[in-house]
Amino acid sequence: MKTAVSSANSSRLALVFADFKEITKARLAVSVVFSSITGYLLGAVEINYFSLLLLAFGGYCMVGASNAYNQIIEKDLDVLMDRTKNRPIPSGRMSVNTAMFIAVLLTVLGLVSLYFLNPKTAMFGAISIFLYTSVYTPLKTKTPLAVFVGAFPGAIPFMLGWVAATNEFGVEPGALFMIQFFWQFPHFWALAWMLDDDYKKGGFKMLPTGKKDKGTALQIIMYTIWMVIISIVPAFGFTGRLQLSVVGATVIFIMGLFMLFFAFRLYENRDNVSAKKLMLASVSYITLMQVVFVIDKFI
């Protein structure tokens, strides 16, 4: 009997944990934390591991809170889409009140954690939550410009790490912000291309032209080019302490060309297979690019 009860409790806890990961979008949150940590490593003169822990915890809380608020706001639309109908709220596994409690708790914990680093970091974290939940989320059913608005909170994590390390906002974190800002357009539009039919069920307008056409593909190419250019600007000495060697810039440029190749393939084929390859290439690019920046600094 005790074994059966223990097994049931374990299963229940596993389901609760799974729903927590879903409501906070754990994989996305972890990738955001990774961006913040790389930004911190680039900005830090001396690495403080307690500060890194605060940044990672606060960053996860900020992203988790934003996603929880988003799923509360969009609960009636999530029911309509295949990719979201099994989320905790629309499926009935989690009440709105529980989700709101999680969102508010994560907001408080995240802001306090980031404030202990410095007030500027907490301020940018708060701005990120506000823009994502109060501007980007409502705009998604109104206009494709929502993606432009959403790119602002999405670009904050990379530069947030630098601000956390230095308590300063200048050209260096500005450059990190711009890299991730322009990266988001080809990444998200590739994803939106794949999910366009499902998005339309919920009334979301995510592609820039509203269609999977050459116009959308061309904009993806243009933003990819800008992303590559901005990624190697630190090699030319215009970004203060944020620097990049010729070797590092060459590696990043080559990676950017690979991503651009998949953008052109999408323009030629205009199919979901090409969109998926571009999306995967974009994930690889942002991760490896940040790794190259860090390695380049320390060697």
Side-chain angles (χ1 to χ4, degrees):
M1 178 66 76
K2 288 184 178 179
T3 303
V5 171
S6 176
S7 178
N9 288 336
S10 297
S11 298
R12 196 174 297 114
L13 285 173
L15 289 173
V16 170
F17 183 62
D19 281 344
F20 177 80
K21 291 195 298 180
E22 182 72 19
I23 201 75
T24 59
K25 291 188 179 178
R27 282 194 293 181
L28 173 62
V30 169
S31 70
V32 169
V33 168
F34 179 82
S35 291
S36 297
I37 288 174
T38 56
Y40 178 93
L41 294 175
L42 292 174
V45 175
E46 182 178 342
I47 297 173
N48 183 308
Y49 291 100
F50 181 66
S51 294
L52 270 179
L53 182 63
L54 283 175
L55 178 63
F57 179 74
Y60 188 99
C61 287
M62 293 288 94
V63 180
S66 297
N67 289 320
Y69 288 127
N70 174 267
Q71 291 183 45
I72 292 168
I73 295 168
E74 295 181 348
K75 64 183 187 304
D76 295 329
L77 300 178
D78 283 348
V79 176
L80 305 175
M81 296 181 290
D82 294 334
R83 62 182 285 270
T84 56
K85 64 184 180 183
N86 289 319
R87 284 177 173 174
I89 300 176
S91 67
R93 297 192 309 273
M94 182 182 292
S95 69
V96 171
N97 288 340
T98 300
M100 182 60 75
F101 174 78
I102 292 172
V104 172
L105 179 63
L106 290 177
T107 301
V108 173
L109 291 175
L111 286 176
V112 170
S113 299
L114 296 181
Y115 188 84
F116 272 117
L117 289 168
N118 58 66
K120 286 189 181 73
T121 305
M123 178 191 71
F124 282 118
I127 290 172
S128 177
I129 290 181
F130 173 78
L131 288 176
Y132 190 85
T133 60
S134 301
V135 185
Y136 165 69
T137 296
L139 281 178
K140 287 165 68 178
T141 57
K142 308 295 183 185
T143 172
L145 287 174
V147 176
F148 176 79
V149 175
F152 283 88
I156 286 176
F158 199 14
M159 69 91 164
L160 189 74
W162 185 289
V163 176
T166 64
N167 195 23
E168 296 176 356
F169 181 81
V171 65
E172 298 94 344
L176 297 179
F177 176 90
M178 293 305 293
I179 292 170
Q180 198 149 359
F181 179 80
F182 280 99
W183 167 82
Q184 287 181 89
F185 293 95
H187 169 74
F188 188 80
W189 282 335
L191 183 64
W193 188 295
M194 296 162 50
L195 300 173
D196 186 53
D197 292 337
D198 209 25
Y199 272 132
K200 285 178 179 176
K201 293 177 185 176
F204 293 123
K205 305 179 181 194
M206 310 309 290
L207 294 176
T209 66
K211 296 179 289 186
K212 299 194 287 187
D213 59 8
K214 282 191 173 183
T216 289
L218 183 60
Q219 289 196 49
I220 288 173
I221 290 172
M222 295 306 297
Y223 277 97
T224 303
I225 291 172
W226 276 112
M227 177 204 72
V228 175
I229 292 172
I230 293 169
S231 294
I232 62 174
V233 163
F236 297 93
F238 301 134
T239 53
R241 287 203 301 117
L242 179 65
Q243 299 177 3
L244 193 62
S245 69
V246 174
V247 173
T250 301
V251 172
I252 290 174
F253 182 72
I254 292 172
M255 292 191 304
L257 290 182
F258 272 106
M259 186 169 160
L260 188 59
F261 167 78
F262 288 110
F264 273 106
R265 288 295 299 270
L266 179 60
Y267 180 83
E268 293 173 357
N269 300 328
R270 297 190 298 284
D271 60 6
N272 287 350
V273 173
S274 299
K276 184 176 182 178
K277 289 180 180 178
L278 173 59
M279 188 273 293
L280 293 174
S282 70
V283 173
S284 298
Y285 176 84
I286 195 67
T287 304
L288 294 175
M289 177 272 297
Q290 291 170 345
V291 170
V292 169
F293 263 96
V294 172
I295 292 175
D296 193 73
K297 174 185 175 179
F298 287 100
I299 65 170

